[in-house]
Amino acid sequence: MAVTDEAIDKIKGMIVSGELQPGEKLPKEADLAARLGLSRNSLREAVKALSLIRILDVRQGDGTYVTSLEPTLLLGAISFVVDFHHDKSVLDFLQVRRILEPAATALAAELIDAEGIATLRTLADPPSPDAGHDALIEQDLRFHHQIAVFGGNQVLCSLLETLSGPTMRARTWRGLTEDDSWQRTIREHHAIVDALECRDAGAAHAWSTVHISGVEQWLRRMT
């Protein structure tokens, strides 16, 4: 194992074991290096690597801390990787979204309250009769994000948020090339909300699957 990898593994072990807690400051570099049997240089490289994926937070003049380790923070590293994928791989992201988002929607059916339904009803409608394409896309993103939030699973919500970038581009292409795409989107959004209001997890799951599959099938025809 390379010395930097070994250093990363040892710091990870301290965090996983609970020896270092979220938000806790790491010991001074010299002390920690001696404690772990590492050179200060390899420790420094490990800290740099772990800070890039948001496990550690290096604060100039203060020290190095373990981050909150919240899923929304850690999964941001996945978003960084996703950005490097080209449009040809967007079908793969849509397929993953088709697997995950209906599950989040079914969870929301069990947890959502009347206020949540009212929020989704507002987001299911277009912002105005003459709303521009960007406004429609933004509202569509908010609609799906809120459903994931109402599902109550923070990890699942964060994963879906990560997938929104490449799949958003596909929705943009569809909106620009299909005249009735937004009318269909609005109808399907309302069907999803109707199922959520009835607390029908099966119907919510089915409508969400139909909704996402529509974009996926359109993109397959276009590629």
Side-chain angles (χ1 to χ4, degrees), residues 127-153:
S128 68
D130 58 346
H133 192 77
D134 289 345
L136 290 167
I137 286 288
E138 176 62 27
Q139 188 151 315
D140 181 63
L141 288 171
R142 289 172 58 204
F143 177 83
H144 289 282
H145 174 70
Q146 282 300 321
I147 290 177
V149 169
F150 292 136
N153 187 310

Side-chain angles (χ1 to χ4, degrees), residues 127-195:
S128 68
D130 58 346
H133 192 77
D134 289 345
L136 290 167
I137 286 288
E138 176 62 27
Q139 188 151 315
D140 181 63
L141 288 171
R142 289 172 58 204
F143 177 83
H144 289 282
H145 174 70
Q146 282 300 321
I147 290 177
V149 169
F150 292 136
N153 187 310
Q154 190 177 15
V155 174
L156 184 54
C157 184
S158 297
L159 283 170
L160 289 169
E161 187 77 8
T162 297
L163 295 171
S164 67
T167 60
M168 180 184 70
R169 289 192 291 273
R171 282 175 276 174
T172 301
W173 299 338
R174 187 187 186 199
L176 291 171
T177 57
E178 282 194 346
D179 292 338
D180 65 340
S181 66
W182 284 115
Q183 289 77 11
R184 188 182 312 157
T185 293
I186 291 167
R187 289 195 300 270
E188 291 170 357
H189 280 183
H190 277 288
I192 291 169
V193 180
D194 288 343

Side-chain angles (χ1 to χ4, degrees), residues 18-30:
E19 188 176 353
L20 283 174
Q21 295 288 330
E24 187 175 346
K25 186 177 181 179
L26 270 65
K28 292 181 179 180
E29 184 182 89

